[in-house]
């Protein structure tokens, strides 16, 4: 039996930091208002970089951690909703940057759930024997689609990229993945193409997100005959501290067993989970053999989870 496991992680954040105090000069808001409602104090902004640039840095970081060359990859999946163009894909652009070609490379757009979707696809391809190594990257330049006059949304988002290298293994790493979507909610959270900005009805999104994430936790544990006590770490999509805390409460996990980066990164959409994972791994918090529950909810609506033994 062939499984997939996480060989390494990587991450990248742009140099520019935009604090809540900086935002007070741009839009009618306050540091206290933002922190109380979201838990965010600052976020990183890519000024002269694209999503491809961010993804390249994150992938180089993951390859270096794995002591691998890009030529060893057999698949690249980039989760993003802020790609430079419909085609070529960000993943194909990465192939060119790393001087590799021939194998499958494509983007996945499932908004904030994109990285989970990417893991699900890569895991399936490894388990089926189609590939032995895969890079899954979440990369977003959310600042490019934010309405900087809308205080409800502009305070939330930041830019960055995170990556993992998955490899075929004899022992189970990725235990299971669960991905879903429901397009009937599109008017609550969507990208407006004419204005090229995010539109969101925050209160409604919050309510649906909390209920949906509670269900995905139950679904994931039941599918694997596991209990809450079997989970060592919760790595949620870093959207809003209140939503994250509600999911941790559902699992009865203490605060120090939930990876939190939203305060420093903001919501980086598809990049938020791999960035948080990389942060915890590099800090030495997450250890080999521990069970991680990654879960996300995003525009569309999309949602999903990945249960992984690191």
């Amino acid at each position: 039996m062939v499984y997939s496991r996480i060989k390494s992680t990587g991450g990248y954040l742009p140099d520019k930091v935009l604090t809540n105090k900086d935002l007070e000069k741009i839009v009618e808001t306050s540091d206290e208002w933002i922190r109380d409602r979201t838990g965010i104090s600052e976020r990183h902004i890519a000024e002269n970089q694209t999503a491809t640039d961010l993804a390249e840095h994150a992938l180089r970081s993951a390859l270096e951690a794995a002591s691998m060359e890009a030529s060893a990859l057999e698949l690249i999946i980039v989760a993003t909703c802020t790609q430079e163009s419909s085609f070529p894909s960000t993943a194909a652009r990465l192939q060119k940057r790393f001087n590799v070609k021939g194998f499958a490379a494509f983007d996945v757009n499932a908004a904030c759930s994109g990285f989970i979707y990417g893991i699900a696809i890569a895991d399936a391809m490894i388990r089926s024997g189609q590939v032995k190594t895969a890079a899954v990257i979440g990369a977003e330049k959310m600042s490019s689609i934010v309405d900087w006059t809308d205080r409800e949304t502009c305070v939330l988002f930041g830019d960055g990229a995170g990556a993992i290298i998955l490899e075929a293994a004899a022992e189970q790493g990725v235990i299971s993945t669960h991905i879903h979507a429901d397009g009937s909610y599109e008017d609550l959270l969507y990208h407006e193409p004419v204005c090229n900005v995010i539109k969101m009805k925050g209160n409604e999104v919050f309510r649906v997100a909390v209920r949906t994430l509670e269900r995905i936790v139950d679904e994931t544990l039941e599918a694997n005959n596991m209990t809450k006590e079997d989970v060592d770490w919760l790595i949620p999509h870093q959207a809003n501290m209140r939503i994250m805390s509600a999911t941790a409460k559902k699992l009865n996990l203490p605060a120090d067993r939930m990876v939190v980066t939203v305060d420093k990164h903001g919501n980086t959409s598809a990049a938020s989970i791999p960035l948080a994972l990389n942060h915890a791994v590099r800090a030495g918090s997450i250890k080999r053999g521990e069970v991680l529950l990654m879960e996300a909810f995003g525009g569309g609506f999309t949602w999903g989870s990945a249960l992984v033994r690191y």
Side-chain angles (χ1 to χ4, degrees):
M1 187 72 176
V2 177
Y3 301 99
S4 71
R5 66 181 288 271
I6 296 176
K7 183 177 179 66
S8 67
T9 68
Y12 175 77
L13 293 163
D15 291 334
K16 181 178 178 180
V17 175
L18 186 69
T19 67
N20 292 346
K21 290 294 185 182
D22 294 327
L23 279 170
E24 290 177 357
K25 304 171 186 176
I26 299 173
V27 69
E28 185 180 347
T29 190
S30 70
D31 173 57
E32 182 180 11
W33 187 90
I34 298 169
R35 284 189 289 106
D36 285 350
R37 285 160 178 78
T38 69
I40 300 168
S41 59
E42 60 187 44
R43 69 286 294 147
H44 291 251
I45 303 295
E47 295 184 286
N48 299 305
Q49 295 170 298
T50 64
T52 304
D53 295 325
L54 306 180
E56 178 185 353
H57 283 292
L59 180 53
R60 288 192 187 280
S61 173
L63 287 169
E64 181 180 349
S67 299
M68 282 177 60
E69 298 293 332
S71 57
L73 294 174
E74 298 177 359
L75 171 68
I76 296 176
I77 300 174
V78 178
T80 184
C81 58
T82 54
Q83 60 267 50
E84 295 154 72
S85 59
S86 298
F87 56 88
S89 66
T90 309
R93 293 177 188 273
L94 282 182
Q95 281 187 314
K96 181 180 179 181
R97 299 268 182 109
F98 285 88
N99 195 30
V100 293
K101 56 186 176 182
F103 57 81
F106 56 89
D107 292 354
V108 172
N109 184 350
C112 302
S113 308
F115 181 72
I116 301 296
Y117 272 57
I119 290 179
I121 296 166
D123 175 58
M125 292 185 71
I126 289 175
R127 286 177 185 248
S128 66
Q130 295 181 68
V131 300
K132 293 181 179 178
T133 58
V136 183
I137 304 145
E140 300 284 18
K141 185 177 180 178
M142 298 303 291
S143 61
S144 66
I145 59 171
V146 163
D147 180 355
W148 291 100
T149 67
D150 178 9
R151 74 170 191 164
E152 298 290 335
T153 57
C154 75
V155 302
L156 299 175
F157 297 98
D159 303 334
I164 60 171
I165 304 295
L166 283 177
E167 64 176 2
E171 295 184 355
Q172 197 174 45
V174 177
I175 300 169
S176 70
T177 57
H178 308 262
I179 52 177
H180 303 278
D182 186 344
S184 65
Y185 288 102
E186 68 169 310
D187 63 323
L188 299 187
L189 176 57
Y190 62 96
H191 172 245
E192 171 53 66
V194 176
C195 303
N196 191 35
V197 294
I198 298 166
K199 298 288 187 179
M200 182 177 71
K201 297 178 181 178
N203 290 334
E204 291 91 336
V205 171
F206 177 84
R207 286 193 290 269
V208 177
V210 170
R211 292 197 306 268
T212 303
L213 291 173
E214 287 182 353
R215 290 200 303 270
I216 199 73
V217 167
D218 289 336
E219 175 188 338
T220 305
L221 295 177
E222 289 171 8
N224 295 286
N225 294 314
M226 295 174 70
T227 67
K228 300 170 183 178
E229 289 71 26
D230 294 318
V231 177
D232 294 304
W233 290 94
L234 174 65
I235 309 178
H237 165 48
Q238 308 287 313
N240 181 304
M241 194 64 199
R242 290 186 297 161
I243 297 175
M244 294 160 57
S245 296
T247 308
K249 184 178 181 181
K250 171 74 175 178
L251 281 166
N252 293 328
L253 271 179
D256 61 355
R257 304 304 285 182
M258 177 172 69
V259 180
V260 176
T261 57
V262 68
D263 55 332
K264 300 296 184 182
H265 299 177
N267 181 351
T268 54
S269 187
S272 76
I273 289 178
L275 273 170
L277 171 63
N278 180 65
H279 170 77
V281 168
R282 299 295 176 107
S285 302
I286 291 177
K287 306 291 195 303
R288 285 292 181 185
E290 292 183 320
V291 174
L292 322 177
L293 175 57
M294 298 180 273
E295 46 84 13
F297 178 90
F301 283 148
T302 64
W303 64 97
S305 68
L307 190 67
V308 175
R309 188 175 300 279
Y310 180 66

